[in-house]
Amino acid sequence: MIGLPVPTPELGGLDSLLSTVQMPGDVPVACMAVGMGGPRNAGLFAVQILATADADLRKALRKYRKEMAEKVSRRAEEIRNRS
């Protein structure tokens, strides 16, 4: 049984439905969110693919990921210190 689509403000759940039913076997599909994080995640996904064949891009992606991990660690520490 297929669950009901998750309602979203942008498309009223249509995006959830389509992301599920448009995934046939043997055809890899990458789905990104509609709204705030979707475009950024789509760009990062594309960079990850391209970085498999481009050393400079791979280096830049590693740097970005390291900076993001440090940012998350700092924010987590700030939250822990508030408690």
Side-chain angles (χ1 to χ4, degrees):
M1 181 167 116
I2 296 176
L4 295 174
V6 177
T8 55
E10 289 86 0
L11 297 176
L14 180 61
D15 54 323
S16 297
L17 173 64
L18 294 177
S19 71
T20 303
V21 299
Q22 293 184 4
M23 294 185 191
D26 302 319
V27 180
V29 177
C31 293
M32 306 299 157
V34 174
M36 296 288 288
R40 173 176 277 170
N41 287 341
L44 286 169
F45 186 72
V47 169
Q48 287 177 189
I49 292 170
L50 296 171
T52 63
D54 184 318
D56 291 335
L57 201 52
R58 193 166 40 253
K59 183 178 176 182
L61 181 60
R62 285 184 181 138
K63 180 182 178 209
Y64 173 80
R65 286 180 175 166
K66 182 180 178 190
E67 290 168 356
M68 289 300 295
E70 291 168 354
K71 183 177 178 180
V72 169
S73 292
R74 283 192 306 271
R75 286 185 179 174
E77 186 62 30
E78 289 171 8
I79 290 170
R80 280 191 292 271
N81 290 336
R82 287 185 205 160
S83 319

